[in-house]
Amino acid sequence: MTRQPSPVVIGTRSSPMAMAQAKRVRSQIISLDPSLTVTFTPVKTTADLWLGDLSTIGGKGLFTRQIDQMLMENHVDVAVHCVKDIPGDEALPETLMSAAFLKRDDVRDVLVTTSKFGPSLNDLPPNARIGTSSVRRRAQLLGIRTDLDISPLRGTLGTRLQRLARDEAESPDAIIVAAAGLHRLDILDRASSYFSTEEVLPAVGAGALVVQCRRDDPLQELLAELDHPQTRQEVEAERAMLFGLQGHCNSPIAGFCQTTPDGQLKLTGRVFSSDGATSIESHASAQPGQAIALGAKVGNDLLALGARELIDHP
């Protein structure tokens, strides 16, 4: 194949977070081939414009489908997505491919509190209001403290931080967000405390960015040099589990695969009731190269334990 000529156009959401991620990819592409010109086509997706419950308009996949369509129609050459935003119950369009998974960022969730309270969950008063629209986070927080008032909160990370800062009756006392997001926007100092992955198991694909292109585009050869094999293996295991469970944006599912010091893949999956009162867990290990089989096994084990009922009736 012949390498893609300049310019290379990256399709991305227009939010500050998405632009920071796209700029990171542009920097890495140019580092591989300084002769390339890399530009952006930012878009506001349907999901960005909707501040209600995403499940009522088609789920988190609306963050990615519009850009994928632009990629398939040759309006852009590259798409950059947060892996956790890609639907788990749908296959990637046949004409597209995941050319590279960038090295994974911090997968942990963090608590951000107002100055009125201490940094940890235990420092919050009884019936404290915590802002998050993630059913995964909601279930696990309520599993730790049943008194918490989990309040829906959507919008960009900046918008959520602004809501927290307001001294209004409906403002949350704390919010829970991704450490990776704070890192990408260079505002890690806003984190009050970190949850361990045992306390709050991460979302499938947490901390990972994927770079997609068309299968027939020679650019894939260059993009493949950005791939981090360990991250790819871990994410493939998590997403295979999610696909087996047919999980979607409103499913109370968590999954985290990590590479152990001896090089094995270790995958933990959990499914919850929305109130956190019930949870089931499965975990297994496999050799590198067996990521998809590992994910399928953990997904099947969760289904055998009753995951379908919790997913369909959270």
Side-chain angles (χ1 to χ4, degrees):
M1 290 185 178
T2 303
R3 181 171 290 180
Q4 172 84 13
S6 279
V8 173
V9 183
I10 297 177
T12 176
R13 294 163 58 197
S14 59
S15 70
M17 178 80 69
M19 289 302 300
Q21 293 165 176
K23 289 175 181 177
R24 176 176 169 185
V25 172
R26 177 180 66 178
S27 176
Q28 293 193 25
I29 291 174
I30 292 174
S31 72
L32 293 174
D33 187 346
S35 71
L36 289 175
T37 298
V38 183
T39 63
F40 304 113
T41 296
V43 297
K44 280 189 177 294
T45 66
T46 302
D48 290 311
L49 297 170
W50 177 257
L51 294 181
D53 184 347
L54 283 174
S55 65
T56 64
I57 61 167
K60 287 182 73 174
L62 292 176
F63 283 129
T64 60
R65 290 191 194 106
Q66 186 173 339
I67 296 171
D68 287 347
Q69 191 65 36
M70 293 167 60
L71 184 56
M72 288 188 286
E73 294 174 356
N74 292 352
H75 297 306
V76 300
D77 304 301
V78 174
V80 179
H81 296 312
C82 289
V83 174
K84 65 181 180 61
D85 290 337
I86 301 174
D89 53 353
E90 301 174 14
L92 187 68
E94 289 185 3
T95 57
L96 304 183
M97 64 178 295
S98 297
F101 289 90
L102 303 191
K103 185 177 181 180
R104 201 171 203 172
D105 294 322
D106 194 335
V107 302
R108 292 176 296 175
D109 289 293
V110 301
L111 189 72
V112 183
T113 66
T114 67
S115 58
K116 295 184 293 185
F117 307 116
S120 75
L121 198 65
N122 290 333
D123 293 321
L124 297 179
N127 305 308
R129 181 183 291 116
I130 297 185
T132 178
S133 292
S134 163
V135 292
R136 173 190 62 86
R137 288 169 174 157
R138 170 190 171 86
Q140 294 187 88
L141 288 174
L142 290 174
I144 298 171
R145 278 186 54 175
T146 58
D147 66 296
L148 295 173
D149 176 10
I150 309 298
S151 177
L153 182 64
R154 284 207 55 234
T156 66
L157 179 54
T159 299
R160 284 177 280 162
L161 290 170
Q162 289 173 6
R163 285 280 304 277
L164 178 64
R166 294 176 189 164
D167 189 15
E168 299 173 354
E170 296 303 313
S171 297
D173 299 309
I175 62 176
I176 180 171
V177 299
L182 296 178
H183 169 72
R184 291 168 189 164
L185 291 181
D186 197 25
I187 51 173
L188 268 177
D189 59 321
R190 297 300 304 271
S192 301
S193 60
Y194 290 75
F195 292 99
S196 71
T197 56
E198 288 76 25
E199 291 174 305
V200 178
L201 196 68
V204 166
L209 296 176
V210 62
V211 182
Q212 295 178 343
C213 69
R214 291 178 294 278
R215 285 189 180 276
D216 62 358
D217 193 333
L219 181 63
Q220 64 176 273
E221 295 180 357
L222 178 68
L223 296 178
E225 297 182 49
L226 303 178
D227 193 57
H228 188 251
Q230 177 178 315
T231 297
R232 178 181 286 271
Q233 288 272 299
E234 293 170 354
V235 168
E236 285 182 345
E238 294 169 13
R239 286 189 57 78
M241 180 200 77
L242 186 63
F243 186 79
L245 294 171
Q246 287 294 284
H248 50 77
C249 79
N250 210 36
S251 298
I253 298 171
F256 177 44
C257 183
Q258 53 191 318
T259 303
T260 62
D262 63 358
Q264 289 211 35
L265 298 173
K266 179 183 178 182
L267 174 62
T268 300
R270 290 180 195 157
V271 180
F272 316 87
S273 60
S274 60
D275 61 3
T278 302
S279 68
I280 55 177
E281 176 176 319
S282 177
H283 54 84
S285 298
Q287 295 292 332
Q290 299 297 313
I292 293 176
L294 173 62
K297 171 179 169 44
V298 172
N300 286 334
D301 288 348
L302 289 168
L303 288 171
L305 292 170
R308 182 83 276 135
E309 179 66 20
L310 291 177
I311 293 169
D312 292 342
H313 305 95

